[in-house]
Amino acid sequence: MALLELKDVRTFYGNIQALKGVSISVEEGEIVTLIGANGAGKTTTLMSICGIVPIRSGEILLDCQDISRMSPHKIVQRGVSQVPEGRRIFPQLTVSENLDMGAFLRTDREGIKRNMEEVFTIFPRLAERRNQLGGTLSGGEQQMLAISRALMANPRLLLLDEPSLGLAPLIVQNIFEVIQKINKERNTTILLVEQNANMALKIANKGYVMQNGLIKITDTAADLLKNQEVRRAYLGL
């Protein structure tokens, strides 16, 4: 049974239609990636799932229950957390304070404490900088902090928007290893939007190719890596 399902979702910005009937399915425990050119509608898809951009029609189902008209904080409470493109940490707050913001809807203090120690185990560099202002961290460290902040909500479904953007290759490799670790060790389902299609498809179970607000190709990640159209358009091969 799908943890997340989008059925014929249509989303507009004013009179401009961004999503033109998007249907995707994410099974519990999977890593699913959404690839495509800039402006294809990938970020809008994530924003629609989170309730930040209201959909015009269609359904967004979480555990078979429609969340498409819920407010964003209610969707977070139901177990969906997003790491936005560009990280968007709080630069004037410390690392620990940023993590506290990720848990602002929770009341289980012991659980919050355990999760904070867990993310410090995943990202030891953040543990070393827990009292440092977020704005003074490197780009890679800020991405680690953004992922950790999302994990502090203790999500079942983690939405990642361009986690490798602007990072050095070695840091990108580390981030993708952590994504796999979060998926396997925390049993967190992941929907990944990523410009580095090659890296994304190598860790994903399934992939969707978006073009102009539509899903054009759906297949296993392994088969998408071998698809000649995908290789030419998105893998530079």
Side-chain angles (χ1 to χ4, degrees), residues 21-171:
V22 169
S23 296
I24 66 173
S25 176
V26 181
E27 301 292 324
E28 190 160 9
E30 281 188 321
I31 298 177
V32 174
T33 189
L34 194 57
I35 63 175
N38 289 338
K42 306 184 302 297
T43 293
T44 300
T45 300
L46 297 190
M47 301 281 268
S48 297
I49 294 167
C50 290
I52 296 170
V53 180
I55 69 173
R56 185 78 58 89
S57 63
E59 289 182 307
I60 300 175
L61 305 177
L62 185 71
D63 275 338
C64 298
Q65 295 192 351
D66 192 349
I67 63 169
S68 55
R69 270 71 186 178
M70 283 187 183
S71 60
H73 78 277
K74 291 289 185 184
I75 293 172
V76 173
Q77 287 177 325
R78 290 186 63 81
V80 180
S81 192
Q82 183 178 9
V83 180
E85 181 181 356
R87 301 180 276 277
R88 300 185 189 177
I89 63 161
F90 299 100
Q92 299 305 317
L93 299 183
T94 66
V95 166
S96 292
E97 288 168 341
N98 268 273
L99 295 177
D100 285 335
M101 292 300 292
F104 78 101
L105 290 176
R106 297 174 60 183
T107 57
D108 56 323
R109 291 189 177 183
E110 286 304 312
I112 292 170
K113 185 178 178 181
R114 279 196 306 273
N115 282 143
M116 188 169 292
E117 290 308 314
E118 182 181 33
V119 299
F120 284 148
T121 300
I122 295 171
F123 293 113
R125 200 175 304 180
L126 293 184
E128 298 168 4
R129 291 159 172 71
R130 67 179 70 198
N131 296 316
Q132 191 170 322
L133 293 180
T136 66
L137 301 177
S138 69
E141 290 165 349
Q142 289 187 17
Q143 186 63 67
M144 295 173 192
L145 180 56
I147 293 172
S148 298
R149 181 181 60 188
L151 291 177
M152 288 301 296
N154 203 24
R156 296 175 60 202
L157 174 64
L158 182 64
L159 309 178
L160 293 167
D161 195 356
E162 304 284 11
S164 77
L165 190 65
L167 301 182
L170 283 177
I171 301 298

Side-chain angles (χ1 to χ4, degrees), residues 36-37 197 209 227-237:
V209 179
N227 183 296
Q228 291 304 313
E229 182 181 348
V230 172
R231 286 166 66 85
R232 283 193 302 269
Y234 305 108
L235 305 182
L237 301 171

